[in-house]
Amino acid sequence: MYKSLKIFTLVILVISMCTYITYSVEPGDAASGYDDPPAANVIPEAEPPADTTPASIQEQPNSDEQDEILIQAAAYFSREVDAIVMKRLDSFFKNGGKGVIGIYIKELGSGFEYRYNADKTNPDNPKEGYFNTASTCKLLSAAVMYHMNYCGELDLDTTYTDKITKSRYNLKELLPRMISHSVNDYFNITLRHLGADKINDALVKLGLKHSIVYSEIMPAQYSSINNNIERYGISRSPRTTPEDLGYILDLLYAESTLGSENSRSLMQALLDNIYSNRLPAGIDYKSPVAHKTGTSSGEGVYNDAGIILLDGNPYIMVVMSKGSGSNVQSLFRTITGEVYEYIKKRTDIQSNIPQ
């Protein structure tokens, strides 16, 4: 993906962004660093014609130079976002905020990423993500089922009967509503349909590193700790990482792994999410957000994972918490809004660079 970017554009973008005042400066602080005034009555000497080469035909950077430019541009992006995030996290914790926070951001055009606890795992089980999924497990399950359907391994448009509730269901209809309305019973049906082992195997094949489904989630019909232990030998919330959720969204946006039709269905379901008080509220609803929330207030879990469809520069953003109070949602909205303005600034600068 990086190679598709025009190197000249990236260089100019990085130089231009160096003049941008990031959110590490408090609102109201005076900006520093003015351009030097032009020298008066100075006529530059003319260069010999042989040494004057139009920019359009200057020698282009070689492959190694291109790679170095991209590495520097990616590092610059990460530093700028980190300045936004760390300022807000410092303030949050100094003012009594608690819990563990995880954040993952990726520009889909450039491929530039930012990570904060994005691949954090359980110290007692390095294969398991540190963060409870809450209802973001529905995004994992939906991705697995859509991928299996695309590979010809699962028929979505057949009527099945759930072995526990005896209710009849059609996955093509069930999956979008499981996402948009976050129905716990529907996730449990998908888990019973495939089994935890099959879902976990599929997640690994998709490329996820630390996402594990164990048992049914609650509250839901016919689901309890005792029933989970009887059916699965364990009653434990699914686990994941911000990076894994971001990876699923990356696959979705590309449309190749889930198939075009399935990707469009899942994208629309994420856009139709009826819970919008985190990522969408953080950007003040200025751009569409295809996202899945997850909440377990008793465990201090407040998650949101989405694609922010900023015109000209869509990007993935995942925010997760564990052991936090509800005030972490305000923190997430603030960070989301400031990152949005930063990426929009990058987008505006790049759109004004002659191609």
Side-chain angles (χ1 to χ4, degrees):
M1 184 180 296
Y2 289 173
K3 295 298 184 182
S4 65
L5 296 175
K6 294 186 178 180
I7 301 303
F8 177 74
T9 300
L10 276 173
V11 173
I12 298 300
L13 177 59
V14 172
I15 293 172
S16 301
M17 286 304 298
C18 286
T19 65
Y20 176 57
I21 301 173
T22 71
Y23 289 90
S24 60
V25 178
E26 292 286 352
D29 287 353
S32 61
Y34 294 96
D35 292 336
D36 292 333
N41 302 319
V42 176
I43 301 176
E45 295 182 5
E47 295 288 339
D51 295 335
T52 303
T53 305
S56 60
I57 61 172
Q58 287 180 352
E59 183 180 351
Q60 296 300 308
N62 61 35
S63 178
D64 290 342
E65 291 172 335
Q66 291 177 9
D67 289 344
E68 182 60 28
I69 289 170
L70 289 167
I71 290 170
Q72 291 179 8
Y76 178 80
F77 172 83
S78 183
R79 286 197 303 271
E80 291 291 283
V81 174
D82 189 62
I84 296 170
V85 171
M86 294 311 299
K87 174 189 173 183
R88 294 306 174 187
L89 285 178
D90 287 346
S91 177
F92 175 73
F93 290 120
K94 285 178 181 177
N95 286 282
K98 61 181 181 178
V100 178
I101 308 298
I103 299 174
Y104 175 77
I105 298 168
K106 180 178 182 178
E107 275 191 335
L108 287 163
S110 69
F112 296 166
E113 297 172 293
Y114 172 75
R115 297 174 174 86
Y116 179 83
N117 285 334
D119 59 353
K120 185 176 177 63
T121 58
N122 185 342
D124 298 325
N125 180 8
K127 294 182 179 180
E128 177 188 84
Y130 178 82
F131 294 94
N132 296 8
T133 64
S135 284
T136 60
C137 63
K138 294 159 189 169
L139 176 59
L140 300 176
S141 178
V144 165
M145 288 197 148
Y146 281 129
H147 175 63
M148 292 178 64
N149 172 256
Y150 180 59
C151 295
E153 300 173 5
L154 178 65
D155 188 354
L156 299 182
D157 204 12
T158 294
T159 300
Y160 301 96
T161 300
D162 181 58
K163 60 185 178 182
I164 299 297
T165 66
K166 308 304 178 184
S167 61
R168 294 167 66 81
Y169 61 92
N170 177 293
L171 291 169
K172 192 171 185 178
E173 298 172 357
L174 179 148
L175 292 176
R177 191 166 180 85
M178 176 182 75
I179 294 295
S180 63
H181 286 65
S182 200
V183 184
N184 288 354
D185 292 276
Y186 289 176
F187 169 80
N188 292 342
I189 286 175
T190 66
L191 178 61
R192 292 193 291 263
H193 188 102
L194 292 179
D197 289 343
K198 196 164 187 176
I199 290 178
N200 290 331
D201 288 344
L203 291 172
V204 171
K205 290 177 182 177
L206 282 171
L208 279 72
K209 298 177 180 178
H210 304 294
S211 296
I212 303 176
V213 170
Y214 292 101
S215 57
E216 296 171 23
I217 61 175
M218 296 172 279
Q221 189 178 28
Y222 300 104
S223 295
S224 67
I225 293 175
N226 288 337
N227 286 341
N228 273 341
I229 294 173
E230 180 181 342
R231 294 169 193 163
Y232 307 98
I234 190 172
S235 186
R236 183 171 174 79
S237 301
R239 297 297 197 272
T240 192
T241 64
E243 189 168 20
D244 269 7
L245 291 180
Y247 183 73
I248 283 288
L249 294 170
D250 206 347
L251 295 178
L252 167 63
Y253 189 79
E255 292 195 354
S256 56
T257 304
L258 311 183
S260 297
E261 182 179 350
N262 289 339
S263 294
R264 287 193 293 269
S265 178
L266 181 52
M267 180 72 78
Q268 189 59 56
L270 292 167
L271 287 166
D272 292 340
N273 189 345
I274 63 174
Y275 302 102
S276 59
N277 67 335
R278 291 172 199 161
L279 294 181
I283 66 168
D284 198 24
Y285 309 97
K286 293 175 182 176
S287 294
V289 183
H291 69 118
K292 182 70 198 79
T293 48
T295 306
S296 177
S297 57
E299 299 172 300
V301 173
Y302 299 88
N303 303 333
D304 205 353
I307 304 172
I308 297 177
L309 296 168
L310 172 63
D311 188 27
N313 195 8
Y315 62 98
I316 290 166
M317 185 160 184
V318 181
V319 292
M320 305 190 78
S321 71
K322 187 174 180 180
S324 297
S326 61
N327 62 334
V328 77
Q329 297 176 94
S330 178
L331 169 71
F332 286 159
R333 284 190 289 268
T334 300
I335 291 175
T336 300
E338 294 184 354
V339 168
Y340 179 85
E341 292 303 322
Y342 168 69
I343 294 181
K344 186 176 185 302
K345 180 73 173 181
R346 285 171 52 84
T347 308
D348 293 342
I349 290 173
Q350 189 166 3
S351 66
N352 290 325
I353 296 173
Q355 302 296 314

